[in-house]
Amino acid sequence: KGMALPQRILFPPEKICMDWQQRQRPGPGLCNLGSTCYINVILQCLTYTPPLANYLLSHEHSQSCQQQGFCMMCIMEVHIRKVLHSSASAILPGAVLRDLKFIGEEFEYGRQENAYEFLRCALNAMQRACLSGSSNMDISSQETTIIHQIFGGSMRSRVTCLSCQAVTDSQKAFLDVSLDIRAASSLSKVLEDCVTPKELDLKERFKCSKCKKKVAASKRVTIHQAPRVLTLCLERADQWTGKKISKFVDYPEYLDLRPYMSDTAGEPLLCSLYAIVVHSGDTCLEGHFFCYTKASNGLWYKMDDESVDSCDTYTVLGQQAYLLFYAR
């Protein structure tokens, strides 16, 4: 199943600008109103995502927005403008806190939540805002919004019959990738394991269209279309015990996606790290989130709620990272 061609392009990819339009110091920190650090880290990481910030600073969305009431794109536009143009030492992300239930039904004000879940809900809320008034559109066209053009990619799943070698391909779009880190000590090892073919177990027996019967088969998942901004979650909650996996996983400042693509031939696909989220605490259900982001001046800063402090790349690469943000 290949991806059908979109009937409409909602946002032309050539209009996306990956480089900052202006260079400046980072903006203020964000006030924590009690267990809102999970919101603050994601807002900071999104604020310092250059193509998203460039687009929202252009007012293009708000000038054409027809949405009545809650609109996550309008909220993010106001927030990013406020942060990048403010001389205050800390500001309150009031609109986000006010509309928390619209961003994700599961979020409860005053309760510690997961930063990764908030990221996913925030991106989905922005996607919904971009699709406002376009409910009858085909799926492929829905995946041409500014959000999918920045964060979206696709995975190809290739199943190979071990009897006749016939292959069956299917594709699936994604806005982020979650990775199992239990068996690896580095991001490259985790990604290598992801793209290594795995034999399907007996319960998953595959019906081969050539052999006309259920057969032994192997499955290989690769990145088919690389996103402009790759968001990775290093899963730190053990699926079986629920306990936090506190190991250090080595991750590079520059990541070449080419070895993990469906097509491994060609130029390197280099991505540069520009933000990370760190969780401190003994369990995944409590503790504290803070982040490191690269501002438009090219320098790294530790952002921990109200405080924003400069730091070096060596410090950034030495963290027990939970979320990694890479830009092409």
Side-chain angles (χ1 to χ4, degrees):
K1 298 170 196 167
M3 306 278 264
L5 287 173
Q7 292 166 12
R8 277 179 67 192
I9 303 291
L10 295 175
F11 190 86
E14 60 272 13
K15 283 177 67 178
I16 292 170
C17 181
M18 296 298 291
D19 296 316
W20 287 104
Q21 297 300 282
Q22 54 201 58
R23 302 197 173 273
Q24 60 190 64
R25 284 182 49 76
L30 303 178
C31 301
N32 187 334
L33 289 190
S35 301
T36 58
C37 58
Y38 74 96
I39 296 170
N40 290 347
V41 289
I42 298 306
L43 290 178
Q44 293 288 39
C45 292
L46 292 175
T47 297
Y48 295 97
T49 297
L52 181 65
N54 288 334
Y55 172 72
L56 292 174
L57 290 171
S58 76
H59 290 292
E60 188 176 328
H61 174 81
S62 58
Q63 283 168 358
S64 62
C65 182
Q66 305 291 312
Q67 193 106 319
Q68 299 297 312
F70 170 73
C71 172
M72 190 63 179
M73 288 298 278
C74 287
I75 285 175
M76 287 303 297
E77 183 177 305
V78 170
H79 177 78
I80 287 177
R81 288 189 66 78
K82 196 170 165 186
V83 169
L84 296 180
H85 295 153
S86 173
S87 57
S89 62
I91 63 170
L92 180 69
V96 176
L97 297 173
R98 182 193 67 219
D99 289 328
L100 200 52
K101 278 282 183 227
F102 295 113
I103 299 170
E105 290 174 9
E106 65 269 40
F107 298 126
E108 204 168 292
Y109 182 65
R111 188 175 72 191
Q112 176 65 287
E113 305 277 4
N114 188 308
Y116 178 46
E117 289 308 316
F118 184 74
L119 170 68
R120 301 190 79 174
C121 288
L123 290 179
N124 285 332
M126 285 193 276
Q127 170 70 359
R128 289 196 302 275
C130 294
L131 291 174
S132 174
S134 314
S135 54
N136 300 327
M137 200 174 290
D138 61 290
I139 296 291
S140 296
S141 296
Q142 290 177 30
E143 290 163 1
T144 64
T145 62
I146 179 75
I147 296 304
H148 265 274
Q149 299 282 25
I150 293 173
F151 298 95
S154 71
M155 292 289 189
R156 185 186 75 186
S157 176
R158 170 164 285 184
V159 178
T160 305
C161 170
L162 297 180
S163 294
C164 73
Q165 303 304 307
V167 298
T168 304
D169 288 347
S170 60
Q171 280 185 55
K172 191 177 181 185
F174 66 83
L175 289 174
D176 62 79
V177 179
S178 189
L179 299 169
D180 184 345
I181 60 171
R182 285 172 300 173
S185 57
S186 70
L187 181 59
S188 60
K189 285 275 187 287
V190 175
L191 293 172
E192 276 166 32
D193 182 59
C194 283
V195 300
T196 301
K198 293 168 185 66
E199 196 163 331
L200 297 176
D201 64 25
L202 292 171
K203 280 185 289 189
E204 294 181 286
R205 275 287 159 103
F206 167 73
K207 188 165 183 182
C208 175
S209 56
K210 263 192 177 176
C211 298
K212 306 288 189 217
K213 61 179 182 181
K214 292 199 169 182
V215 293
S218 73
K219 180 177 172 182
R220 183 171 188 246
V221 178
T222 49
I223 300 171
H224 199 63
Q225 187 184 353
R228 288 174 176 80
V229 169
L230 175 66
T231 306
L232 300 172
C233 173
L234 306 184
E235 292 173 8
R236 292 202 171 270
D238 189 292
Q239 293 171 334
W240 307 112
T241 65
K243 289 182 179 171
K244 183 179 173 184
I245 301 169
S246 296
K247 68 195 279 188
F248 175 74
V249 177
D250 189 50
Y251 50 94
E253 184 179 5
Y254 299 100
L255 175 67
D256 180 13
L257 291 181
R258 183 57 72 189
Y260 318 111
M261 299 289 293
S262 302
D263 180 7
T264 54
E267 298 284 310
L269 265 177
L270 275 183
C271 297
S272 172
L273 186 71
Y274 73 90
I276 72 167
V277 170
V278 182
H279 175 266
S280 66
D282 296 329
T283 78
C284 296
L285 299 173
E286 56 195 14
H288 180 62
F289 291 102
F290 56 93
C291 64
Y292 293 84
T293 62
K294 190 185 273 192
S296 61
N297 60 7
L299 302 176
W300 281 99
Y301 294 85
K302 180 183 180 182
M303 300 189 172
D304 189 348
D305 289 331
E306 291 88 352
S307 69
V308 175
D309 300 301
S310 62
C311 67
D312 56 21
T313 311
Y314 181 77
T315 302
V316 174
L317 296 177
Q319 300 300 313
Q320 197 189 97
Y322 178 44
L323 302 178
L324 300 168
F325 294 78
Y326 284 93
R328 290 265 289 276

